[in-house]
Amino acid sequence: KNQVEQSPQSLIILEGKNCTLQCNYTVSPFSNLRWYKQDTGRGPVSLTIMTFSENTKSNGRYTATLDADTKQSSLHITASQLSDSASYICPGRGGSYIPTFGRGTSLIVHP
Amino acid sequence: GAVVSQHPSRVICKSGTSVKIECRSLDFQATTMFWYRQFPKQSLMLMATSNEGSKATYEQGVEKDKFLINHASLTLSTLTVTSAHPEDSSFYICSTRGSAEKLFFGSGTQLSVL
């Protein structure tokens, strides 16, 4: 199984500031890595996908990086907005390629 | 991308009653649907995987007779919580999987059992 560890568990920042979230895989290989954003009381939404051949990918104010050697990925959010307050999750993969989820990182952006 | 419509979004019921949650894949033939449960500030926990035309596969510890899953067509999967009790109160959410293993989630159902 792919096991995932995310850090920090929670993060509070002021609006307009940048932040970086971490995702560490303990088992490889994997075909791709996704970051999801889950607003409270809503379903997760895919933010970005990265494959082994990609080191960085941006989607607006979100930039994801991937180091396949160290099995680490990060999600950098620039110029944070109040609407960025959510949980950010990078799923692992269980048996039969079934996606599994950790608690993610809970981000709170204060005005 | 695929659109998954989940209903109801919120339901309050009395203890002992049954509740049905529907997930419809509106523009995608979902041969597989994942059902998750999420308690406050906790992670999404996979309950079962439903496959169109066959029996669902339940995760360890999930009672298949209590959480009935039906996936009779490529566009509809249902989860029925039978004889609901207060401890079943949770956020239930379905998901289907598209290309490159991208997951498309429903909007979730908040179940409150009194």
Side-chain angles (χ1 to χ4, degrees), chain A residues 34 36 38 43 93 97 102, chain B residues 38 43 93 97 101-103:
Chain A
R34 288 187 182 272
Y36 286 84
Q38 184 181 19
R93 182 191 293 165
Y97 301 100
Chain B
Q38 186 175 36
S43 62
I93 191 164
R97 180 168 55 193
E101 300 182 42
K102 183 175 181 178
L103 299 175

Side-chain angles (χ1 to χ4, degrees), chain B residues 1-22:
Chain B
V3 177
V4 179
S5 176
Q6 183 171 347
H7 294 280
S9 58
R10 182 177 296 273
V11 59
I12 302 173
C13 68
K14 292 182 179 180
S15 184
T17 60
S18 295
V19 176
K20 178 185 282 189
I21 302 170
E22 292 188 350

